[in-house]
Amino acid sequence: MSSESECVLVTGGAGYIGSHTSIELLNAGYHVVVIDNLANSSPRAIDAVQRITNRSVAFHRGDIRDRTLLDKLFADHDVRAVIHFAGLKAVGESVAEPTKYFDNNVYGTLNLINAMRNAGCGRLVFSSSATVYGDAASVPISESAPTSPTNPYGRSKLMIEDMLRDICAADPTFSASILRYFNPVGAHVSGEIGEDPLGPPNNLLPFITQVAVGRRPELSVFGNDYDTADGTGVRDYIHVVDLARGHLAALEFLETHTGAFTHNLGTGRGFSVLEIVRAFERTSGTTIPFRIAPRRAGDIATSYADSSRAAHDLNWRAQLDLDAMCADAWRWQSRYPNGFR
Ligand code: NAD
Ligand code: UFG
């Protein structure tokens, strides 16, 4: 059987990055099984994925902490690899309710790993985050930079990373690709799926698109006194479709490599908040009213990736530029002003 006709389990596949990755998997010929409890997503995302690809997804509504369900799923489908997106990701909520994050993210992942090993499935691609670096001493940030997450969400990611490294070291039949994402933005070019946050967006791009579509009056720019060219925070924004393709490259890598591997996925380029606002205005033809607000607690000045290890090992590079990120995010938001809800 060629790898492309393999069955891949996508946890959190109804979510933002999981739905875009499912499209790339289906387009490459993989069979896709999704488990998602819809805690932060809509089944309409799965419908859209099927429509866009003209392929079907085996969707199971359920929780990765439910071992009985996982065992049934591995018994019913010949799952050869897992891409694991399911998790909670709100930094502020994780500070207020840390146990929720350790239960959902850390325990949920352990439960998934146990079910995989029980079923003889030994390849896992895991969604980690650049947040594990905390406030890095220098940029670009490479994988060898010290890890020092500053909140329970970030610590849940690092705990899972450590768990995976230990398990892979002990079990030669189990391998993991740990992908540290920088700032995923944008949407599928069809405009049929995109980022659909519940409540006020925490992240910059969805906030901007909601201002553009009239759902919010103005953007607050959190600080203009950072040590950056224009004083606003600088981040490495990566198109979600590039990110999705990085997962396919990681899957292929695990076909020929055994162990635990860590890769940054970013573009290697930083843009400031004001540069993002201007790029969005230019590509969308809208005006984004904004005011300068105080710094947001916990924010850092500058973060961007050294992605050379992913280029070397995975033969993967981000291809889509900032204009594509903005134009695609806007196509989705203007077509679906209220997202899937
Ligand atoms: P998302 O919330 O859109 O997707 C996560 C999905 O997982 C949701 O559909 C949610 O319903 C589901 N889910 C959560 N807990 C579950 C559980 N216990 N069982 C089953 N399903 C569950 O988020 P996203 O932006 O697509 O992020 C995907 C992954 O990437 C997450 O693990 C996140 O921490 C990580 N990540 C995201 C970013 C980002 O900025 N978006 C950055 C770095 C890392
Ligand atoms: N920003 C604003 N106004 C907003 C939202 C954000 O000015 O309304 C600024 C922030 O201060 C920052 C930049 O825009 O300078 C990007 O902020 P995001 O919240 O979009 O992204 P962060 O880099 O702060 O955080 C993201 C994820 C985290 C993850 C981190 C590292 O949200 O979960 O990347 O991967 F931990």
Side-chain angles (χ1 to χ4, degrees):
M1 190 195 282
S2 83
S3 63
E4 280 74 23
S5 54
E6 277 183 2
C7 178
V8 176
L9 171 63
V10 180
T11 76
Y16 173 47
I17 307 171
S19 57
H20 286 83
T21 303
S22 295
I23 289 179
E24 297 305 312
L25 287 168
L26 291 163
N27 283 342
Y30 288 95
H31 296 288
V32 172
V33 178
V34 166
I35 177 170
D36 198 305
N37 65 4
L38 304 181
N40 194 39
S41 51
S42 163
R44 288 178 63 192
I46 301 287
D47 297 339
V49 165
Q50 298 186 125
R51 217 169 44 242
I52 290 164
T53 58
N54 203 22
R55 297 271 317 273
S56 63
V57 170
F59 175 56
H60 300 264
R61 181 174 185 170
D63 200 293
I64 55 163
R65 290 166 294 181
D66 180 346
R67 178 65 192 268
T68 308
L69 174 63
L70 287 182
D71 286 345
K72 177 165 174 15
L73 214 143
F74 281 106
D76 289 350
H77 303 277
D78 184 23
V79 175
R80 309 309 295 269
V82 176
I83 308 186
H84 177 34
F85 297 101
L88 300 175
K89 60 168 186 175
V91 172
E93 183 188 55
S94 80
V95 174
E97 294 182 74
T99 52
K100 190 170 169 182
Y101 277 69
F102 298 126
D103 185 53
N104 196 85
N105 294 2
V106 182
Y107 167 67
T109 302
L110 184 59
N111 200 47
L112 173 69
I113 293 168
N114 283 333
M116 287 177 69
R117 295 178 73 214
N118 183 57
C121 176
R123 278 188 285 148
L124 177 71
V125 179
F126 171 61
S127 297
S128 190
S129 168
T131 197
V132 299
Y133 297 116
D135 194 355
S138 61
V139 284
I141 305 171
S142 78
E143 293 84 352
S144 58
T147 49
S148 176
T150 56
N151 55 69
Y153 163 67
R155 278 188 280 278
S156 77
K157 290 291 177 190
L158 190 55
M159 284 179 192
I160 296 167
E161 286 199 5
D162 286 337
M163 208 159 72
L164 288 170
R165 283 184 276 266
D166 285 342
I167 293 166
C168 293
D171 179 356
T173 69
F174 195 87
S175 294
S177 161
I178 295 163
L179 301 177
R180 292 177 176 163
Y181 313 155
F182 279 67
N183 290 59
V185 296
H188 189 258
V189 69
S190 64
E192 291 297 309
I193 57 168
E195 195 166 5
D196 184 26
L198 270 178
N202 294 311
N203 299 116
L204 179 63
L205 238 293
F207 206 102
I208 290 177
T209 59
Q210 291 194 10
V211 171
V213 86
R215 279 172 66 181
R216 304 190 184 273
E218 63 176 10
L219 169 73
S220 296
V221 174
F222 297 142
N224 66 349
D225 57 352
Y226 285 105
D227 184 17
T228 62
D230 64 19
T232 65
V234 168
R235 296 289 185 277
D236 186 337
Y237 297 92
I238 172 169
H239 196 297
V240 65
V241 172
D242 274 331
L243 190 68
R245 291 175 181 153
H247 293 74
L248 273 71
L251 263 191
E252 278 174 31
F253 183 80
L254 288 184
E255 281 171 25
T256 48
H257 296 78
T258 304
F261 306 92
T262 307
H263 292 99
N264 285 339
L265 295 184
T267 66
R269 219 193 126 180
F271 289 99
S272 75
V273 175
L274 295 180
E275 285 176 311
I276 297 294
V277 169
R278 279 193 291 272
F280 185 83
E281 288 180 332
R282 189 177 65 244
T283 55
S284 65
T286 62
T287 300
I288 304 299
F290 69 85
R291 70 183 173 88
I292 305 298
R295 289 183 178 195
R296 183 171 64 178
D299 269 1
I300 56 176
T302 303
S303 162
Y304 56 89
D306 174 346
S307 274
S308 53
R309 188 190 284 180
H312 177 268
D313 291 352
L314 309 181
N315 194 24
W316 170 93
R317 280 173 197 77
Q319 312 275 348
L320 299 163
D321 64 12
L322 183 57
D323 282 4
M325 300 178 209
C326 293
D328 293 341
W330 177 232
R331 191 174 302 108
W332 149 251
Q333 188 76 81
S334 51
R335 193 170 293 189
Y336 295 95
N338 295 308
F340 286 123
R341 284 165 259 263

